[in-house]
């Protein structure tokens, strides 16, 4: 009986794995040059690779031909965000939320409310709604790493600003749910009173308050058990280092079973887990979590680059044209966050100067959290506006994906290149001053 060789396999899975792993390998060769010399964020480079690998250019990765693409995107982004917000909570200094409660309160409530309303206003004037605005409310913890970690951040960004931006990006991914569901309840319920009532007890109490309680309890208990286990020499080093990642995924799954806000629960658990700074100090010399974070972050932004729906950016049936999307992106990037942060600077102790307020107001990037919320928004809008099988989705539902992804792409490109432009501007200014001094 003849023996056949194993045939070559060019399945979507093997191609996607080849692209992702190949990019991580070759990115590694020049990663220090890109990040420390050119000051380009990992997300910026990964998104470019995703666009090249996606259906727009090569077609190597085309998630839109996969079955249940929206569910795959939702679960991927959900896992990445859970791991990232847990890491943010762990990396914050000892008792940080207690010491900077006023700054966090301002950033998470008045500032987020303004971002939601002003974004909704810009989108409504040209297209649609507060549902889309809620998706782009949160700042992204992965993109925020470009200004809170690395050589540029350590040299040019004060630690109190880095901590504030990091804490905000970790907390407000989970706090995007109240804004999203308030808009959805107002659209879906017959009366405003019923919508507000459901929003209060289903979203504010069940999703938000309960998730905070679950996160704090789980984080506290996990810390005490881990300290006991480490004291009695029951846990080895690899298990100790991977504990936070495993805890984030476990908590995400368990909280998801109840229907509560798993992202906010992970952030609360990270804070409670590292409240006394013990775990952070024990693991600061090991870079295991940084390695995992980098691989996941590169992979997810390659994926986001591949799912950008270029064909939807010029769709007269949806009222979408490139110039409209560009105008929306410019307005949101300039006015969504910057004015309100400057306005509240006097009452935020973490903002020492207006220069710091301008910096903090500008760096409010949108990324993985926005994509995650957009998939939830689309699911909920399909319940609000049900359609018969075979019928196209309502325009309001179809608009969510292209608008959110265009704004995310714009944010990654603009915020990903602002750091090198700032560096270039500083060099030009210093050379001009030096030349003027020499001439004198």
């Amino acid at each position: 009986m003849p023996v056949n060789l194993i045939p070559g396999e060019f399945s979507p899975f093997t191609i996607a794995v080849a692209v992702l792993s190949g990019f991580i390998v070759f990115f590694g060769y020049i990663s220090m040059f890109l990040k420390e010399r050119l000051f380009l964020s990992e997300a910026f480079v990964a998104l470019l690779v995703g666009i090249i690998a996606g259906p727009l250019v090569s077609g190597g990765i085309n998630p839109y031909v996969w079955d249940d693409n929206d569910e795959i995107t939702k679960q991927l982004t959900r896992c990445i965000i859970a791991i990232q917000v847990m890491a943010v909570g762990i990396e914050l200094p000892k008792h940080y939320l207690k010491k900077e409660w006023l700054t966090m309160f301002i950033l998470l409530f008045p500032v987020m409310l303004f971002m939601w309303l002003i974004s909704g206003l810009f989108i409504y004037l040209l297209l649609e709604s507060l549902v889309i605005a809620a998706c782009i409310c949160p700042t992204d913890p992965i993109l925020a790493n470009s200004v809170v970690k690395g050589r540029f951040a350590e040299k040019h960004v004060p630690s109190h600003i880095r901590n504030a931006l990091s804490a905000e990006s970790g907390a407000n991914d989970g706090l995007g749910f109240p804004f999203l569901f308030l808009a959805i309840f107002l659209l879906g319920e017959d009366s405003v009173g019923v919508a507000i009532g459901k929003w209060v007890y289903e979203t504010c109490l069940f999703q938000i308050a309960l998730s905070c309680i679950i996160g704090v309890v789980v984080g506290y208990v996990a810390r005490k058990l881990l300290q006991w286990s480490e004291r009695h020499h029951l846990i080895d080093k690899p298990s100790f280092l991977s504990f936070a990642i495993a805890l984030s995924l476990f908590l995400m799954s368990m909280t998801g079973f109840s229907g509560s806000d798993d992202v906010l629960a992970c952030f609360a658990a990270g804070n409670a887990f590292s409240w006394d700074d013990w775990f952070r100090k024990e693991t600061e010399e090991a870079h295991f979590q940084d390695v995992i974070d980098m691989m996941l972050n590169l992979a997810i932004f390659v994926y986001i680059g591949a799912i950008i729906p270029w064909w939807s950016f010029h769709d007269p049936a949806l009222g979408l044209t490139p110039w409209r999307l560009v105008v929306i992106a410019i307005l949101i990037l300039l006015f969504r966050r910057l004015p309100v942060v400057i306005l509240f600077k006097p009452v935020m102790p973490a903002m020492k100067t207006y220069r710091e307020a301008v910096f903090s107001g500008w760096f409010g990037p949108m990324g993985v959290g926005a994509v995650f919320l957009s998939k939830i928004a689309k699911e909920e809008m399909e319940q609000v506006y049900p359609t018969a099988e075979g019928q196209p989705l309502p325009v309001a539902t179809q608009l969510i994906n292209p608008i959110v992804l265009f704004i995310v792409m714009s944010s990654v490109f603009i915020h990903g290149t602002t750091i090198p432009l700032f560096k270039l501007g500083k060099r030009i200014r210093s050379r001009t001053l030096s030349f003027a001094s020499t001439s004198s």
Side-chain angles (χ1 to χ4, degrees), residues 31-68:
S31 57
M32 179 173 288
F33 174 77
L34 292 174
K35 293 191 290 185
E36 305 294 344
R37 299 283 184 85
L38 300 182
F39 298 103
L40 295 176
S41 67
E42 296 171 351
F44 175 84
V45 181
L47 192 74
L48 284 178
V49 172
I51 292 172
I52 295 170
L56 178 68
V57 182
S58 67
I61 301 177
N62 186 4
Y64 286 98
V65 303
W66 302 349
D67 293 334
D68 212 356

Side-chain angles (χ1 to χ4, degrees), residues 99-168:
K99 295 174 183 176
E100 295 291 349
W101 69 269
L102 181 57
T103 299
M104 288 298 101
F105 177 83
I106 297 296
L107 289 174
L108 295 177
F109 294 100
V111 171
M112 279 196 75
L113 179 62
F114 177 87
M115 291 195 294
W116 179 51
L117 294 176
I118 198 69
S119 300
L121 177 65
F122 292 146
I123 294 171
Y124 179 75
L125 285 175
L126 298 173
L127 298 165
E128 286 274 335
S129 92
L130 289 172
V131 173
I132 300 173
C135 298
I136 59 174
C137 241
T139 55
D140 191 73
I142 300 171
L143 293 173
N145 282 343
S146 61
V147 292
V148 300
K149 290 182 177 181
R151 191 179 66 167
F152 176 87
E154 293 173 358
K155 186 175 181 180
H156 298 287
V157 184
S159 59
H160 56 274
I161 295 297
R162 283 185 274 137
N163 290 330
L165 293 177
S166 185
E168 181 200 10

